[in-house]
Amino acid sequence: RGKWAWDWWASLGSPRYVCSPMIDQSERAFRLLSRRYGVDLAYTPMIHAEPFAANSEWRQKYFDAWRPVLDDRGVNIDKPLIAQFGGDDPETMLRAAKFVEPYVSAVDINMGCPTEEARRGGLHTHSPRCRRFGAYLLDSPNLVKRLVSTLANGLSVPVTVKIRVLDTVEETLDLALAIQEAGAAALCVHGRTKNQRPKLADRTSGLWAAGPKGLAADWEVIASVREVVDIPVIANGGIETREDVLNLLQTTGCAAVMSAEALLEDPDLFLEEPLETHDGTPEGEGRAQVRRILRLCREFVDLAEEHPSTLEYTPTKPHLAKMLHRLAGEDQYICRKLEEQGAPLNIQQECKLFLIRSKFDDFASIRGALDQIEDRYAAEALPVLGGPWYRRWRHLAPKAQAAPKKAARGRPGGPAPQRARAIAE
């Protein structure tokens, strides 16, 4: 039944490594950098459907793939590309998606965002009619099906959906089957519920236990979804390292794995071989990490200058803050206060000040800050890096993901065996 979906997936090159849709973060420059180091499929930042459908200025500002990026062979290197939209009105979503239809490989419906903005439906200044989007749509299965079927029937490109798991496995499987029946060509499943947010880890005790009451991404539920649907499934959640990537693929048998936060920090996350080698000594490893991080930062700055963001406040420095976190991850407020007091600064605090003093729209200034950071670490006899940005909300607990109880059934990355289930109405 899902052969058409797998044929479409094959036409994209059977992607395995996916760059997540991220608000103001998966813009063209970052997509191109991550594609350079292993990403096979990328999503645009999420687009609010209501203003996008109504306002041409909004369309020019929030969609950055109107023109291709051609290599020497005339191939668009910013494809395959999926545009993600957020909204709760099927007709509005369709009108918005129609504008980008000729420029993308598919259109995705955001049913996974767990933020407060998603609960409110965005800002009323730009989306006055939208009441919710993202994971807050999942409580209304009829609306979910109408959104998917309206876009699937109204567009010439396939429709995909990104969801979070629900409170029970049964509810999640029924939802996945309903989305498939409505016409989705692929499904991305994040293994946490909308209430499982690592950002809240410090506020609630015991959140790191696996399961509905914890913060761990449940890979077994993702594997169960992959077993019951006939369309490609992308696994998402609980990814920090390349080892995690491979474990998630093996555990779930999914067609692909998607990363957001880990990829923001390490755009070479999916790279099979280390970007920088070393001699195995602590000093060699530290210096190789410094070289790797700064190399990625400089390549990103070059791409950001070549493919400038259309946003009022470009995301160049926010991206660099994440990529440089292990070199300059100190709190900027504390750094400024210490500097004002004339207090001694550690290397991370010094490097944070180098970065925040650079101007967000001045690439020469930003490159100068990177040079200062490089010089400062070169002066260290034994470079010691700080903790990863990925763990800024996760420092209270070890990495959390469900260990596989059994191997995923069916051909890895292929259609799952058919299993009859009732579709939730």
Side-chain angles (χ1 to χ4, degrees), residues 9 16 21 28-29 52-53 78-79 146 199 206 228 241 249 257 267-269 274 293 305 327 357 384 398:
W9 191 255
R16 194 167 179 82
R28 172 161 275 179
F52 196 86
D78 196 19
K79 274 197 168 183
R146 284 198 297 119
K199 185 176 181 179
V228 301
T241 66
L249 286 170
V257 59
D268 60 341
L269 173 70
I293 292 169
E305 186 172 32
L327 304 184
R357 286 173 188 147
V384 178

Side-chain angles (χ1 to χ4, degrees), residues 193-398:
T193 69
K194 66 177 182 292
N195 296 320
Q196 291 175 286
R197 300 180 62 191
K199 185 176 181 179
L200 306 180
D202 292 349
R203 306 179 196 174
T204 310
S205 61
L207 283 176
W208 285 100
K213 295 183 179 179
L215 284 175
D218 193 333
W219 293 359
E220 291 184 359
V221 176
I222 301 175
S224 296
V225 171
R226 176 246 183 258
E227 289 175 2
V228 301
V229 299
D230 299 316
I231 59 178
V233 176
I234 304 169
N236 180 224
I239 293 299
E240 181 181 2
T241 66
R242 175 159 176 81
E243 182 181 6
D244 295 333
V245 170
L246 299 178
N247 287 341
L248 178 52
L249 286 170
Q250 181 179 15
T251 299
T252 63
C254 285
V257 59
M258 173 187 285
S259 176
E261 291 194 340
L263 193 64
L264 284 173
E265 182 174 9
D266 295 314
D268 60 341
L269 173 70
F270 295 128
L271 195 64
E272 293 185 5
E273 299 294 333
L275 190 59
E276 294 285 343
T277 59
H278 58 84
D279 59 9
T281 65
E283 178 184 358
E285 183 177 2
R287 295 203 183 283
Q289 286 289 352
V290 173
R291 291 196 304 273
R292 181 188 69 85
I293 292 169
L294 288 170
R295 173 178 170 178
L296 290 168
C297 288
R298 289 189 169 107
E299 289 184 20
F300 173 69
V301 171
D302 290 345
L303 288 166
E305 186 172 32
E306 184 179 356
H307 306 281
S309 169
T310 55
L311 299 176
E312 181 178 359
Y313 297 103
T314 64
T316 306
K317 284 186 64 176
H319 273 297
L320 292 175
K322 299 173 183 66
M323 294 162 65
L324 288 165
H325 190 80
R326 277 169 279 193
L327 304 184
E330 292 283 347
D331 181 88
Q332 62 176 318
Y333 174 80
I334 293 174
C335 294
R336 290 184 188 276
K337 279 294 183 184
L338 291 174
E339 183 183 37
E340 290 172 4
Q341 296 165 5
L345 302 173
N346 65 36
I347 186 171
Q348 293 239 344
Q349 290 164 346
E350 289 181 38
C351 291
K352 173 64 84 171
L353 289 171
F354 295 152
L355 181 63
I356 62 180
R357 286 173 188 147
S358 63
K359 298 178 181 179
F360 77 93
D361 57 352
D362 184 338
F363 290 103
S365 175
I366 293 171
R367 289 187 178 98
L370 295 177
D371 290 342
Q372 289 178 300
I373 293 171
E374 180 178 34
D375 291 342
R376 183 64 186 84
Y377 271 90
E380 290 290 295
L382 179 62
V384 178
L385 278 63
W389 179 77
Y390 180 88
R391 290 195 166 272
R392 69 204 184 284
W393 307 117
R394 298 169 168 87
H395 61 279
L396 298 181

Side-chain angles (χ1 to χ4, degrees), residues 20 150 169 193 308 349 425:
S20 175
T150 298
V169 176
T193 69
Q349 290 164 346
E425 292 298 328

